[in-house]
Amino acid sequence: MTAAITILALLFVAFVALGVFVTVKAVGAAKRGVDRTITQARRTVEDTTLRAKSFGQPGVAGELAQLRLALRTSMRATQDALHAGVAEDASLAESVGLFRRLSAHGLELDDELKRLEREPDRATVADLLPKLRERTQRITHSADSLRWAARDRARQFADDDLDALNAQIDIEAGALRHWTADEPSQASGTTSGHGPGTDWPEPAASAGPSAGNSSTADEAWAGPAREESPQAITAPDPRSRTTYPWQKSTRPETTN
């Protein structure tokens, strides 16, 4: 009895601990989701504000907004491209490490530009703009180089896979058309009316003389002759046509 109570108590404690663990994990996941949503909303609002300032405010304030917007856009696009590519290509891990080091410089520059937006001394800020513009261009150029290199690598892998797939499809298509390799031998076997491979019946001989047939062929290639009196066109007798295996036999005419 004591052992059963002890086991039940241990099970109860285990279930309570499991419930607390699941609750903590769920609360942490919900908190991370809320934080991610808030961060994305704040980033969207800030990007919209920078875009409005870059178009609406002339002078130093507008140029600072343009630099920040260009920096944030380039860094975010590169981050998304590298994180999406490293899941399929492990060799991009080194590129991700380099981008993290570049991100430290980018964040530092973004904070500096953000502080200068609130700086009342516009003359001093105007003097600093050439250096700030150069730093922004260097960081964005490096980020763009990483991003396009990762995209070119992924595109090259896709092209190589497509080439291999096309080669396999060509081989399979050739195997499916294996009968085309037997056609010359079958054609050589059907040059005469005897022998293997003679599956098609020969057409019935024409009723007219051979000379008439040759003259008709000559007239067909020679072109139209001089005009003569029109002649009536006689419809060919369907029963005199050459029969083939796939045609049905002609029914006998009734005498009714």
Side-chain angles (χ1 to χ4, degrees), residues 191-237:
T191 53
S192 63
H194 305 283
T198 308
D199 298 331
W200 302 102
E202 296 182 357
S206 59
S210 60
N213 292 339
S214 61
S215 62
T216 304
D218 294 338
E219 292 176 359
W221 290 108
R226 63 180 181 273
E227 295 184 358
E228 296 181 357
S229 58
Q231 299 179 357
I233 299 176
T234 304
D237 188 0

Side-chain angles (χ1 to χ4, degrees), residues 71-118:
L71 177 65
R72 293 163 65 90
T73 303
S74 177
M75 298 296 288
R76 189 177 301 120
T78 304
Q79 181 180 9
D80 294 340
L82 291 179
H83 287 176
V86 74
E88 300 178 357
D89 188 3
S91 60
L92 292 178
E94 185 176 356
S95 300
V96 173
L98 292 175
F99 177 74
R100 288 174 181 171
R101 295 173 57 186
L102 183 65
S103 297
H105 295 277
L107 292 174
E108 181 181 358
L109 177 60
D110 185 66
D111 292 338
E112 185 176 356
L113 294 172
K114 190 175 182 179
R115 288 193 303 269
L116 291 176
E117 287 180 348
R118 299 187 296 268

